[in-house]
Amino acid sequence: MAVIDMPAPAERAARAAGSPAGARILIGIAVVLTLAFIVVPVVVIFAQAFARGLAPYLASVTERDTLRAVGLTVLVALLAVPVNVAFGLVAAWAITKFEFRGKKFLLTAIELPFSISPIVAGVAYILVYGSNGLLGPFLEANDLRIMFALPGIVLVTIFVTSPFVVRELVPLMQVQGSDQEEVAATLGASGLQIFWRVTLPNIRWALFYGVVLCTARAIGEFGAVSVVSGHVRGETNTLPLQVELLYHDYNAAGAFAAASTLTLIALATLAIRAVIERRLPRTGRVGH
Amino acid sequence: MSIEIQGLARQFGDVRVLRGIDLSIPKGELLALLGASGSGKTTLLRILAGLDWPNAGSVRVDGQDWLALDAQRRRAGFVFQYYALFPHLTVADNVAFGLTVLPRRIRPPAAEIARKVATLLDLVQMGDYGRRFPAQLSGGQRQRVALARALAIDPDVLLLDEPFGALDAAIRKDLRGWLRGLHRKLGTTTIFVTHDQDEAFEIADRIVVFGEGRIEQVGTPDDIYERPASPFVARFLGGVNEIAADLRQGRFRVAGADASALERQVGGDGAVTLFVRPHEIDIAADGAGEGTITAVVPGSVSIRYRVSLPRQAQPVEVDLPREAARGRDLSAGTRVRVTLLRGRIFGQAARTASLAEQSLAASAL
Ligand SMILES: Nc1ncnc2c1ncn2[C@@H]1O[C@H](COP(=O)(O)OP(=O)(O)OP(=O)(O)O)[C@@H](O)[C@H]1O
Ligand SMILES: [Mg+2]
């Protein structure tokens, strides 16, 4: 987020300072910092990935374990994102359409995964689901394997990415209020009809936006997944873990190749974001 | 449909917003709810629409208990102050909404829905706008679409919450006559909320004056204006003078003014407050008069004079029609003879109540 917003505060500060020279200096600093901290490293990834030409790059990317990592990552995202969409819709609906005690607490709790270090989240899951954890004996008795397997990876990914959808929906739905839903009810629409025909169309861009951010994070999550995955090559390694693994194997080309795929996903997210942002209502009303 | 409301009470936390509303509305009536901001008008309307529930009381419509029905099954057309049109649907689809959500077995075929929508749009004079989106309409046009959408379900009762509240004065005037005509054509029992008294007077069969969660008076516009039931109502309609007077043997005396034209009272000697509207006072230039004009405020129909009288804390406001004012040679500083033509007092009980209410109203604002 800060990436894109960075020049804006500088400009605003310059306007407050009121001098064109001051503005130029501040803008200059912002641009240099952006280049140094963000653009250059990204460019380097691609430069390194293609350092020995296209053929080695393709070979690295299509290497068996890397392909498996890509497959696992996609699978995890496909499982985690829908769960968070459902969770986000329910939570946003509850928060914005009803008055209840503990609402503030719920709002804060939902944001928790953002303020907690992902690695702590991973450790917490181990303490609950691991063999020495809270539910460990029960899981073992029933021959259920959660840690160091797909379920564990999906669970921590859901945890880490859970705020994205709610965060996009709540402010929008707060602005929109309940008038339209209430009118729909007086016109005879059932609860489901109201959701599909009134609420969803009004929040669709914000929802989509939340899904994009959620997906990007689900694909890129490293810390929490690293704790619970067990790092089994070709089995429980997601793409970010694979990058790390290749790197530690002194397979720089492979690492950069895998990293470049992740970066491409991130850039695609950015592009989609830019498109959606233009469609997102600033006044709380969706344009056509 | 006739509506019978009894003992309706609603509170939010400790705030008692409705404090026992009793109201009966005959079939086909056009009723205005008139009251200050925050007096509970919207709350009452929402309860009637099934969007909120009271803590006590009953609502019966043609004998049926409406509080047992949810909003979907009441067939009450509700129009919000800010229209609440569906922004992602065209005007025609907005109007069709109530028909397209009907269960399949009773839903009319698409062609019939389209026909009905076209008829309704013609009715609200929006026939050419069916394909537009709400964002492409003016405020008055949106208002009419919202009304057409509410009418599409053939409502038994029409509830309009400040239907013209968001529009500018000129359009409001236009729409008043139009709404009156529409009601005459359809005959649907209609309740509309407003805090514009001219609007209420012009459109409604009867007016309910609301004060702080209670009904102060129900009556025809004439009743309300000529025979206010309480100081609250008299004040609410605006611009009433409260003149300190003495009541002796049924006659009013006001220092410096001729009050002999006022109706005789039975008993109740002592100091009283006379409620007199600005047009119920006459003034004429007279060097021996005890009033002095302190200010002249010209209006379009009448001219308002502020006249100071001995022993009155506030100057008295007097309206003279422009025709009457012509040639009387009245300007600031002129000494005048003041004659009270009409006025009314309220009982001691009413007076104290009004003071309490006034402070309540003040604290609510
Ligand atoms: N959901 C709610 N929770 C708490 N208080 C409420 C709620 N709805 C209304 N109130 C309070 O009830 C009082 C009456 O509100 P209401 O909307 O009925 O007033 P109104 O007569 O329609 O006013 P206006 O003319 O400004 O629309 C207000 O003081 C308001 O703050
Ligand atoms: Mg209101």
Short mmCIF file of all heavy atoms in Angstrom, two decimals, chain B residues 185-214:
data_model
loop_
_atom_site.label_atom_id
_atom_site.label_comp_id
_atom_site.label_asym_id
_atom_site.label_seq_id
_atom_site.Cartn_x
_atom_site.Cartn_y
_atom_site.Cartn_z
N LYS B 185 -56.10 10.36 -7.71
CA LYS B 185 -56.28 9.34 -8.75
C LYS B 185 -56.25 7.93 -8.14
O LYS B 185 -57.03 7.07 -8.52
CB LYS B 185 -55.17 9.49 -9.79
CG LYS B 185 -55.59 9.05 -11.18
CD LYS B 185 -54.49 9.21 -12.20
CE LYS B 185 -53.95 10.63 -12.33
NZ LYS B 185 -52.89 10.73 -13.36
N LEU B 186 -55.31 7.69 -7.20
CA LEU B 186 -55.10 6.32 -6.72
C LEU B 186 -55.91 6.00 -5.46
O LEU B 186 -56.31 4.86 -5.25
CB LEU B 186 -53.61 6.11 -6.40
CG LEU B 186 -52.65 6.31 -7.56
CD1 LEU B 186 -51.22 6.27 -7.05
CD2 LEU B 186 -52.86 5.24 -8.63
N GLY B 187 -56.10 6.99 -4.62
CA GLY B 187 -56.86 6.76 -3.40
C GLY B 187 -56.18 5.89 -2.37
O GLY B 187 -56.82 5.39 -1.45
N THR B 188 -54.86 5.69 -2.50
CA THR B 188 -54.13 4.88 -1.52
C THR B 188 -53.99 5.64 -0.20
O THR B 188 -53.65 6.82 -0.21
CB THR B 188 -52.71 4.56 -2.04
OG1 THR B 188 -52.82 4.13 -3.38
CG2 THR B 188 -52.04 3.50 -1.19
N THR B 189 -54.24 4.96 0.90
CA THR B 189 -54.02 5.57 2.20
C THR B 189 -52.54 5.97 2.29
O THR B 189 -51.67 5.15 2.08
CB THR B 189 -54.34 4.57 3.33
OG1 THR B 189 -55.62 4.00 3.07
CG2 THR B 189 -54.33 5.25 4.68
N THR B 190 -52.30 7.23 2.57
CA THR B 190 -50.93 7.73 2.48
C THR B 190 -50.56 8.54 3.72
O THR B 190 -51.33 9.37 4.18
CB THR B 190 -50.77 8.64 1.24
OG1 THR B 190 -51.16 7.92 0.08
CG2 THR B 190 -49.34 9.13 1.09
N ILE B 191 -49.37 8.25 4.24
CA ILE B 191 -48.84 9.07 5.34
C ILE B 191 -47.56 9.70 4.85
O ILE B 191 -46.68 8.99 4.36
CB ILE B 191 -48.52 8.21 6.58
CG1 ILE B 191 -49.76 7.45 7.01
CG2 ILE B 191 -47.99 9.07 7.71
CD1 ILE B 191 -49.53 6.57 8.22
N PHE B 192 -47.47 10.99 4.92
CA PHE B 192 -46.18 11.56 4.55
C PHE B 192 -45.65 12.48 5.63
O PHE B 192 -46.38 13.18 6.31
CB PHE B 192 -46.22 12.20 3.16
CG PHE B 192 -46.77 13.60 3.12
CD1 PHE B 192 -45.91 14.68 3.10
CD2 PHE B 192 -48.12 13.81 3.09
CE1 PHE B 192 -46.40 15.97 3.06
CE2 PHE B 192 -48.63 15.09 3.05
CZ PHE B 192 -47.78 16.18 3.02
N VAL B 193 -44.33 12.39 5.79
CA VAL B 193 -43.64 13.13 6.83
C VAL B 193 -43.08 14.41 6.23
O VAL B 193 -42.59 14.42 5.11
CB VAL B 193 -42.47 12.29 7.38
CG1 VAL B 193 -41.51 13.16 8.16
CG2 VAL B 193 -43.00 11.17 8.25
N THR B 194 -43.17 15.47 6.98
CA THR B 194 -42.55 16.70 6.50
C THR B 194 -42.24 17.57 7.70
O THR B 194 -42.82 17.40 8.76
CB THR B 194 -43.49 17.45 5.54
OG1 THR B 194 -42.89 18.67 5.16
CG2 THR B 194 -44.83 17.74 6.19
N HIS B 195 -41.27 18.47 7.58
CA HIS B 195 -41.23 19.50 8.60
C HIS B 195 -41.44 20.87 8.01
O HIS B 195 -41.16 21.88 8.62
CB HIS B 195 -40.02 19.43 9.54
CG HIS B 195 -38.71 19.30 8.89
ND1 HIS B 195 -37.76 18.43 9.32
CD2 HIS B 195 -38.19 19.92 7.84
CE1 HIS B 195 -36.70 18.54 8.56
NE2 HIS B 195 -36.93 19.43 7.67
N ASP B 196 -42.03 20.85 6.81
CA ASP B 196 -42.40 22.08 6.14
C ASP B 196 -43.91 22.27 6.31
O ASP B 196 -44.71 21.53 5.76
CB ASP B 196 -42.03 21.95 4.66
CG ASP B 196 -42.41 23.19 3.87
OD1 ASP B 196 -43.30 23.94 4.34
OD2 ASP B 196 -41.84 23.39 2.79
N GLN B 197 -44.30 23.28 7.10
CA GLN B 197 -45.71 23.37 7.42
C GLN B 197 -46.55 23.77 6.20
O GLN B 197 -47.67 23.32 6.04
CB GLN B 197 -45.93 24.33 8.59
CG GLN B 197 -46.21 25.74 8.21
CD GLN B 197 -46.23 26.62 9.41
OE1 GLN B 197 -45.36 26.55 10.27
NE2 GLN B 197 -47.21 27.47 9.50
N ASP B 198 -45.99 24.58 5.31
CA ASP B 198 -46.75 24.94 4.10
C ASP B 198 -47.09 23.70 3.30
O ASP B 198 -48.19 23.55 2.77
CB ASP B 198 -45.92 25.88 3.22
CG ASP B 198 -45.79 27.25 3.86
OD1 ASP B 198 -46.60 27.55 4.75
OD2 ASP B 198 -44.86 27.99 3.48
N GLU B 199 -46.10 22.79 3.23
CA GLU B 199 -46.29 21.57 2.47
C GLU B 199 -47.43 20.75 3.09
O GLU B 199 -48.32 20.28 2.39
CB GLU B 199 -44.99 20.77 2.52
CG GLU B 199 -44.86 19.69 1.51
CD GLU B 199 -43.41 19.24 1.45
OE1 GLU B 199 -42.60 20.00 0.88
OE2 GLU B 199 -43.09 18.17 1.99
N ALA B 200 -47.39 20.61 4.40
CA ALA B 200 -48.44 19.85 5.09
C ALA B 200 -49.80 20.48 4.85
O ALA B 200 -50.77 19.80 4.52
CB ALA B 200 -48.13 19.77 6.58
N PHE B 201 -49.85 21.79 4.99
CA PHE B 201 -51.13 22.49 4.84
C PHE B 201 -51.67 22.33 3.43
O PHE B 201 -52.86 22.19 3.22
CB PHE B 201 -50.96 23.98 5.17
CG PHE B 201 -51.07 24.27 6.63
CD1 PHE B 201 -50.27 23.61 7.53
CD2 PHE B 201 -51.99 25.19 7.10
CE1 PHE B 201 -50.37 23.86 8.89
CE2 PHE B 201 -52.10 25.45 8.46
CZ PHE B 201 -51.29 24.79 9.35
N GLU B 202 -50.80 22.37 2.46
CA GLU B 202 -51.26 22.38 1.08
C GLU B 202 -51.74 20.99 0.64
O GLU B 202 -52.69 20.87 -0.12
CB GLU B 202 -50.13 22.86 0.17
CG GLU B 202 -50.61 23.12 -1.25
CD GLU B 202 -49.52 23.76 -2.08
OE1 GLU B 202 -48.71 24.52 -1.50
OE2 GLU B 202 -49.48 23.50 -3.28
N ILE B 203 -51.06 19.95 1.09
CA ILE B 203 -51.36 18.63 0.55
C ILE B 203 -52.35 17.83 1.37
O ILE B 203 -53.18 17.11 0.84
CB ILE B 203 -50.05 17.79 0.44
CG1 ILE B 203 -49.01 18.56 -0.35
CG2 ILE B 203 -50.34 16.47 -0.24
CD1 ILE B 203 -47.72 17.81 -0.50
N ALA B 204 -52.27 17.94 2.69
CA ALA B 204 -52.89 16.91 3.53
C ALA B 204 -54.38 17.12 3.77
O ALA B 204 -54.88 18.24 3.79
CB ALA B 204 -52.17 16.85 4.87
N ASP B 205 -55.09 15.99 3.95
CA ASP B 205 -56.47 16.04 4.43
C ASP B 205 -56.45 16.42 5.90
O ASP B 205 -57.19 17.27 6.36
CB ASP B 205 -57.14 14.67 4.30
CG ASP B 205 -57.25 14.23 2.85
OD1 ASP B 205 -57.49 15.10 2.00
OD2 ASP B 205 -57.07 13.02 2.58
N ARG B 206 -55.58 15.72 6.64
CA ARG B 206 -55.43 16.01 8.05
C ARG B 206 -53.94 16.09 8.38
O ARG B 206 -53.11 15.48 7.70
CB ARG B 206 -56.06 14.92 8.91
CG ARG B 206 -57.58 15.06 9.02
CD ARG B 206 -58.11 14.19 10.15
NE ARG B 206 -57.60 12.83 10.04
CZ ARG B 206 -57.56 11.99 11.07
NH1 ARG B 206 -57.95 12.38 12.27
NH2 ARG B 206 -57.11 10.75 10.90
N ILE B 207 -53.65 16.79 9.44
CA ILE B 207 -52.25 16.97 9.85
C ILE B 207 -52.10 16.46 11.28
O ILE B 207 -52.96 16.70 12.12
CB ILE B 207 -51.85 18.46 9.79
CG1 ILE B 207 -51.89 18.94 8.34
CG2 ILE B 207 -50.48 18.69 10.40
CD1 ILE B 207 -51.66 20.42 8.20
N VAL B 208 -51.01 15.73 11.51
CA VAL B 208 -50.66 15.32 12.86
C VAL B 208 -49.46 16.15 13.28
O VAL B 208 -48.42 16.09 12.62
CB VAL B 208 -50.28 13.83 12.90
CG1 VAL B 208 -49.84 13.44 14.30
CG2 VAL B 208 -51.45 12.97 12.44
N VAL B 209 -49.61 16.94 14.32
CA VAL B 209 -48.46 17.70 14.80
C VAL B 209 -47.77 16.88 15.89
O VAL B 209 -48.39 16.48 16.86
CB VAL B 209 -48.86 19.08 15.36
CG1 VAL B 209 -47.62 19.83 15.83
CG2 VAL B 209 -49.60 19.87 14.30
N PHE B 210 -46.49 16.63 15.66
CA PHE B 210 -45.68 15.78 16.51
C PHE B 210 -44.81 16.64 17.38
O PHE B 210 -44.16 17.57 16.90
CB PHE B 210 -44.74 14.99 15.59
CG PHE B 210 -44.92 13.52 15.68
CD1 PHE B 210 -46.06 12.93 15.17
CD2 PHE B 210 -43.93 12.72 16.24
CE1 PHE B 210 -46.22 11.57 15.24
CE2 PHE B 210 -44.09 11.36 16.31
CZ PHE B 210 -45.24 10.79 15.80
N GLY B 211 -44.77 16.35 18.67
CA GLY B 211 -43.79 17.04 19.50
C GLY B 211 -43.13 16.03 20.40
O GLY B 211 -43.81 15.38 21.17
N GLU B 212 -41.85 15.85 20.29
CA GLU B 212 -41.12 14.98 21.20
C GLU B 212 -41.81 13.65 21.46
O GLU B 212 -42.11 13.30 22.60
CB GLU B 212 -40.90 15.71 22.52
CG GLU B 212 -39.95 16.88 22.40
CD GLU B 212 -38.65 16.50 21.73
OE1 GLU B 212 -38.02 15.54 22.21
OE2 GLU B 212 -38.27 17.13 20.75
N GLY B 213 -42.09 12.93 20.41
CA GLY B 213 -42.58 11.58 20.58
C GLY B 213 -44.04 11.46 20.98
O GLY B 213 -44.51 10.38 21.29
N ARG B 214 -44.74 12.56 20.99
CA ARG B 214 -46.15 12.54 21.33
C ARG B 214 -46.92 13.31 20.28
O ARG B 214 -46.39 14.22 19.66
CB ARG B 214 -46.35 13.22 22.69
CG ARG B 214 -46.98 12.34 23.74
CD ARG B 214 -47.39 13.21 24.90
NE ARG B 214 -46.24 13.84 25.52
CZ ARG B 214 -45.61 13.32 26.57
NH1 ARG B 214 -46.01 12.19 27.08
NH2 ARG B 214 -44.60 13.94 27.12
#
